[in-house]
Amino acid sequence: MTQLETVHVPLGDRAYDVVIGEGLVANAGARIAPLLGKKKRVCVLTDERVAALHLETLRAGLAQSGIEMAALALPAGEATKCWAELSRAVEWLLTEKVERGDVVVAFGGGVIGDLGGFAAAILRRGVRFVQIPTTLLAQVDSSVGGKTGINAPHGKNLIGAFHQPSLVLADVSLLGSLSPRDYHSGYGEVVKYGLLGDAEFFDWLEANGAEAAAGDVAKRIHLVKRSVEMKAEIVARDETEQGDRALLNLGHTFCHALEAATGYSARLLHGEGVAIGCALAFELSARMGLCAQEDPSRVRAHLSQMGMKTDLSDIEGELPDADGLLDLMAQDKKVKDGQLRFILARGIGEAFVTSEVPKEQVRGVLIDALAAR
Ligand code: GLY
């Protein structure tokens, strides 16, 4: 095993560690055993794709420490974040006789982490859970910070609870089984951290992001660790998003409108939308005279250097016009008292939250971005 990194999420009696490194699934038992009482058994929620690739490694990794495992594999994909699959998961956990003191394991990407965490939050009024995120997006974002939930017909993530995990095992060996597109989608969230609060990290990504994408393990560990450190620090300041946690939504107001416009389909993955959204948020910031004119070009240059979607022209098929996109933005759940909240930037690494954004400026950015398609 190569180097291991641990990031502590300091949340008082809900504090936990995020362990980042290689081979963590193969050795999961040693890390999970201290959380268990006399009953050496865990229930694992996963998806069919992850189960086919990695479930036997997890089973062996738990067995090494004498931990037995039962698993339920749900269908892979965003459609699983629904009442029917949640109810199936909770009923299964009850059938498996999971008690208050037991530990549930969520083994998958963001969908399984969100649904599994929510199932753990509501089962017997809350049982502990361990996140073993299998995608880059889940390792750097959704597995950390305790947001759990499912989607509603009214919109994404509208039903849920804050429920912090007891441990997160981010095994970078799993990233090798991601398609380049899924890796790059997660990388959209990584770039976001540099852009929102750490210009040096963005410099590092410009110099090292391509090697990390090509498989350099030490670089992958570094980029996951730095992302998790930044998320942990923001979550510790504002666990339930009363203020600063909204910084993590850099690029997301544009992203959510684009995801809605593309029907939450494979036309645009979440992290791809975040990347394009970050570029648009910097464009808006530059037009408002908040950051240098060069900053949006630098953001776009890095995304295209990485072979990522950068502009609206990279999204295939029809998109609504600027007013249509503005309407979709207004439906974002981050709207407060009817005011759209934006995360803008005074420069790379200097994001802030504001409601003071003239609609005409946003419309102007969208009209120009659509015209370039
Ligand atoms: N993904 C944004 C947050 O956890 O707050």
Side-chain angles (χ1 to χ4, degrees), residues 147 156-158 162 240-241 243 245-250 252-254 256 270 328-343 353-355:
K147 280 190 181 174
K156 274 182 81 173
N157 297 325
L158 292 181
F162 284 100
T240 56
E241 200 167 317
R245 186 165 178 163
L247 289 172
L248 295 172
N249 296 321
L250 176 62
H252 282 62
T253 308
F254 287 109
H256 288 153
H270 177 69
L328 291 171
M329 283 181 166
Q331 285 161 27
D332 193 281
K333 72 178 184 304
K334 305 288 184 307
V335 172
K336 207 175 168 192
D337 303 328
Q339 281 277 70
L340 258 183
R341 270 195 305 167
F342 274 90
I343 319 303
V353 186
T354 180
S355 301

Side-chain angles (χ1 to χ4, degrees), residues 137 140-147 157 162 189 192-193 231 234-235 238-239 241 244-249 252 270 334:
L137 190 133
V140 298
D141 183 26
S142 55
S143 67
V144 180
K147 280 190 181 174
N157 297 325
F162 284 100
E189 296 279 1
K192 177 196 80 177
Y193 289 108
K231 178 143 191 190
I234 292 172
V235 167
D238 177 22
E239 184 179 359
E241 200 167 317
D244 273 4
R245 186 165 178 163
L247 289 172
L248 295 172
N249 296 321
H252 282 62
H270 177 69
K334 305 288 184 307

Side-chain angles (χ1 to χ4, degrees), residues 4 7 23 77 97 114 168 296 337 354:
L4 275 184
V7 178
K97 301 194 170 43
D114 286 7
V168 182
D337 303 328
T354 180

